[in-house]
Each structure stands twice: as C-alpha cells, then as structure tokens.
Amino acid sequence: MAVTVSNSDDDNSERRPVFFVLREFLWGAMAGAFGEGLMHPVDTVKTRIQSQVFLSANQNHKSILQMVRSVWLTDGVRGFYRGVAPGITGSLATGATYFGVIESTKGWIEESHPDLAGHWAHFITGSVGDTLGSFIYVPCEVIKQRMQVQGTRSTWSSTTSNGLKQMKANSQVYTYYSGMIQAGCSIWKEQGYKGLYAGYWSTLARDVPFAGLMVMFYEGLKDLTEHGKRKMLSNSKYQINSSLEGLVLGGLAGGLSAYLTTPMDVIKTRLQVQGSTVRYTGWFDTATKIWETEGIRGMFRGSVPRVVWYVPASALTFMAVEFLRAHFNDKNKMRDSTTLSLDKRRSLHQEVS
C-alpha cells in the first residue's frame, strides 16, 4: 500500500519569504526612526554649522560648542528638536526601503548575476533602496532642515532681518514654519515641487556613495576581523559575540563613510535651506562657490557632528543586523533539521508499506 503525505509546510515555506521581507521593511523603518529621533539634536547642530555662512552676513563662523551654546541660549531645548517630525517621517521611509529592498533583491542579484555577488550586490541593493526612499525622504529633509535653521519665531525674525536681507537686496525669504504640514503646504505654494525636491540630485550624490561605502567598509573590516580571529583565537575557546562585532565595526564603517561624504552633505544642505533666495543654482555651482570662498574647510564644514551622528546610528543598526542574522539563522537550521528528520521517517514508512 502506497502512502501519500501532504506536507502543509510547503505553503508555509512560500509565505515565510514574504513575511521575512515585510519584517525587514518594518524593522528598517523602526530602526531609522529610532536613530533619527535619538540623534536629531546633533543633526540640528550640524545643519546650522553648514548653513551659517549662507544665513548670516557675519563671517565669524561658530564652532561646534559655540553653536550648541547659541542654540541653547536663543531657543532652548525646543531649538534642538525643531524639525524632528519630518525627520522621523523621512527616516521611516528610508529605513523601510533600504533594508526591505536589500533583503528582497540581494539573493536574486547574486543568483542571476554571480559576478555581482558580495560587495557589489550590497552596493546595488542599498542604492536602489535609498533611491526609492528618496521620493519621500527628500521633501521631509527639506522641511526638516529649514525648520532646524529657523529655531524659534523670534530667532528666525532676527536672522532674516540681520542676515539674509543684507546679503541680497529684494530677496524673498520663506516664512516661519509652525509645523510639518504647514511647512510642506507653504513650500509647495511658493516654489512648487522644485522647492520640495530642492537638492534632490545632491541628496542622491551623497546617499548612494555613502550606502555603498558603508557596506564595503563594514564587509572589509569583517574580513580583517575574521583573519585576526583565525590567527589569534584559533586554539582558544573564547568567541567574539557577533552583535558586539556589528556594534564596533558598524560604528567605524558609518563614521568613516560619513566623513568622506561630508562635501556632498554640505552641498545638499546649502541647496535645501536657501529657499527663494537663490544664491546657488545647482550642484556644480554650489561646489564651485564653496571651494572658491571657503576652501577645503568649507567643503568639510560640519563633518564632526555628522560623524558623531552616524557612528552610534550605524553601530546600533549593524548590531541589530548581526543579532537578527544569528537569531534567525539558528531557527532556520533547527527547522531544516526537523524537516529532514520528518522526511526520512516518511520515506522509511513508505518503503515499509
């Protein structure tokens, strides 16, 4: 007598990849929002340092500590958290698409194009994820940065009367934004989609190489770490926790990538905060004017707070990635072992029957 066995696990196995991808979208969104909310005050300081040349007629540029003190004295705690709502909204979109696209397409790229496996697969999928998220992220970034440089209403009134209007006669300065929705509607009314997507290409010029560099640095540091562990810990019972490894190496990779892409971040910030007061006409024009008037220091303005922002954010992200890999890989191994055992039993039962 032949016995046919209906295995319901086949349906579950088809649903697991879908669940896995959806989970990566959700987890990526949560990780992005958490990092933005936690590090937003540092980002505010960075944005003000990068934009102070444009927003102030005074050529005495503030240092990091001077800028922190200035924000605290003029705007208080609220000044550091101006623009946090659009910042979190944009990070939700970017985090979801970045990790979701990576996990849903990386395997397909490696299987269909073996020559692109490894670092190139991460670079491509990360770039695609960032590009998709940019359609939501860039408008949120424009709103966030304009709210960050504005501070309180009294601070913005003082800035527009003493700084911007002295730099260019008859210039139009955007009004004070009371919130994310009001800011978006105001920008759309005054400048249309060009205002909301100001600095779009400079954003991609910053984020695409950043995403690629961060993954490549991380994988390279992991290879060096593995080589060191094989030489130094080959006969030792001591093992380095993968989550701790992700924390340290992710922080180093994120910080180095953030520093190297600072010039693109400066260009993006200048284009996004200028509003209708057009001082820079495009990416190349912005880069040229910054280089001619401020030199290399201008191109790397705000690099320290940018690195300070990305080191902990990247460290926590990669720590979570390594934890999930180890955790779910162990579960998959156990499930595969159980399935194999059941298949052997069923095969034996069929032969006996």
Side-chain angles (χ1 to χ4, degrees), residues 199-269:
Y200 178 79
W201 296 111
S202 61
T203 300
L204 292 185
R206 178 199 66 174
D207 289 347
V208 169
F210 172 81
L213 286 173
M214 185 167 64
V215 175
M216 293 173 67
F217 284 145
Y218 180 73
E219 295 297 331
L221 289 170
K222 279 192 70 174
D223 291 341
L224 289 175
T225 303
E226 289 297 325
H227 178 70
K229 287 192 295 185
R230 283 195 299 268
K231 292 188 65 175
M232 301 175 62
L233 303 175
S234 57
N235 299 322
S236 175
K237 294 182 180 180
Y238 179 76
Q239 297 292 329
I240 299 178
N241 183 275
S242 61
S243 298
L244 178 61
E245 190 176 276
L247 181 73
V248 176
L249 301 184
L252 290 173
L256 184 57
S257 303
Y259 180 78
L260 292 176
T261 55
T262 296
M264 281 77 84
D265 188 56
V266 174
I267 294 170
K268 177 196 71 70
T269 299

Side-chain angles (χ1 to χ4, degrees), residues 69-211:
R69 185 172 181 272
S70 175
V71 175
W72 176 261
L73 292 177
T74 57
D75 302 328
V77 177
R78 292 178 59 188
F80 290 103
Y81 283 93
R82 279 282 292 172
V84 68
I88 289 178
T89 303
S91 295
L92 281 169
T94 302
T97 54
Y98 183 76
F99 290 102
V101 170
I102 286 178
E103 295 303 330
S104 61
T105 60
K106 181 181 65 177
W108 173 78
I109 290 178
E110 292 179 335
E111 290 178 6
S112 59
H113 300 84
D115 55 322
L116 296 178
H119 298 332
W120 281 112
H122 283 91
F123 187 93
I124 293 171
T125 53
S127 301
V128 172
D130 270 335
T131 302
L132 292 176
S134 67
F135 292 106
I136 298 176
Y137 172 74
V138 172
C140 291
E141 183 77 354
V142 172
I143 296 170
K144 180 195 77 171
Q145 292 198 324
R146 291 194 186 183
M147 293 179 70
Q148 284 176 320
V149 300
Q150 284 184 336
T152 60
R153 189 181 296 273
S154 59
T155 300
W156 183 239
S157 298
S158 175
T159 300
T160 55
S161 60
N162 298 327
L164 285 173
K165 289 184 178 179
Q166 291 181 18
M167 295 179 63
K168 188 171 183 178
N170 301 322
S171 61
Q172 294 181 353
V173 182
Y174 44 88
T175 59
Y176 184 78
Y177 303 134
S178 59
M180 176 180 171
I181 303 299
Q182 185 268 335
C185 293
S186 178
I187 295 173
W188 176 264
K189 183 179 179 181
E190 294 175 3
Q191 298 176 263
Y193 75 91
K194 289 185 178 180
L196 286 174
Y197 283 91
Y200 178 79
W201 296 111
S202 61
T203 300
L204 292 185
R206 178 199 66 174
D207 289 347
V208 169
F210 172 81

Side-chain angles (χ1 to χ4, degrees), residues 321-335:
V321 168
E322 294 297 344
F323 172 79
L324 288 172
R325 283 175 179 171
H327 181 69
F328 285 100
N329 282 345
D330 290 342
K331 282 191 172 184
N332 290 334
K333 289 178 181 178
M334 293 177 61
R335 182 164 53 243

Side-chain angles (χ1 to χ4, degrees), residues 275-350:
S276 300
T277 309
V278 180
R279 181 180 181 184
Y280 308 109
T281 58
W283 192 93
F284 183 77
D285 178 64
T286 307
T288 302
K289 288 181 178 177
I290 293 175
W291 180 262
E292 290 177 348
T293 58
E294 304 170 56
I296 190 68
R297 292 184 62 184
M299 298 299 291
F300 281 89
R301 198 173 299 281
S303 58
V304 173
R306 176 170 164 80
V307 170
V308 169
W309 193 99
Y310 270 105
V311 166
S314 302
L316 292 173
T317 298
F318 279 104
M319 181 184 69
V321 168
E322 294 297 344
F323 172 79
L324 288 172
R325 283 175 179 171
H327 181 69
F328 285 100
N329 282 345
D330 290 342
K331 282 191 172 184
N332 290 334
K333 289 178 181 178
M334 293 177 61
R335 182 164 53 243
D336 293 341
S337 176
T338 303
T339 303
L340 181 61
S341 177
L342 288 173
D343 289 341
K344 286 183 177 179
R345 291 179 184 177
R346 288 168 182 165
S347 177
L348 179 62
H349 178 69
Q350 290 175 358

